[in-house]
Amino acid sequence: QVQLVESGGGMVQTGGSLRLSCAASGISFTSNGVAWYRQAPGKVRELVAAISTSGRTIYADSVKGRFSISRASANTMFLQMNSLKPEDTAVYYCNEGAYFNGEYSPKNRWGQGTQVTVSS
């Protein structure tokens, strides 16, 4: 059974940092692309960052230069978030999917997410 568990969220002030973690069971993060998504209230879920098995990355324009995705092991990945802004406030989800030709396609497997709140 596949399970994704996100952690590391919290409340920080503008300019602060957080590191999100995703722990997986039943799948291997080294076999496919992996990504972080976020969903703010009233908005659609959006891709934040993705990384391929070879280490190629995609970042949303809004987080380039501030966020960094990494794969620590077959079942652990991170999202380092620096210089946080109020508009980064959302629930963050990790995902395993397909990274091909510079695009990421998520599989319909989601954890419970972790809340990130950035105060101004």
Side-chain angles (χ1 to χ4, degrees):
Q1 182 178 359
V2 175
Q3 189 174 19
L4 298 170
V5 179
E6 301 91 345
S7 62
M11 180 178 290
V12 296
Q13 292 186 333
T14 297
S17 297
L18 285 172
R19 188 177 78 160
L20 305 184
S21 300
C22 177
S25 58
I27 58 172
S28 171
F29 281 158
T30 56
S31 299
N32 290 295
V34 291
W36 286 93
Y37 281 74
R38 67 186 180 187
Q39 186 167 19
K43 295 189 176 181
V44 300
R45 192 170 297 185
E46 64 174 353
L47 177 67
V48 176
I51 185 167
S52 71
T53 53
S54 62
R56 294 186 177 185
T57 55
I58 299 169
Y59 290 96
D61 287 344
S62 59
V63 306
K64 282 180 182 177
R66 300 188 298 121
F67 289 13
S68 178
I69 186 172
S70 61
R71 185 192 282 107
S73 69
N75 55 17
T76 305
M77 59 181 281
F78 301 113
L79 183 69
Q80 178 66 42
M81 305 187 298
N82 300 324
S83 302
L84 283 161
K85 305 175 181 180
E87 51 264 43
D88 295 319
T89 295
V91 178
Y92 285 72
Y93 302 88
C94 61
N95 181 268
E96 177 238 6
Y99 188 119
F100 183 72
N101 273 352
E103 294 187 354
Y104 183 82
S105 297
K107 291 184 181 179
N108 192 25
R109 295 172 180 159
W110 304 96
Q112 82 290 345
T114 185
Q115 176 71 48
V116 171
T117 303
V118 185
S119 61
S120 56

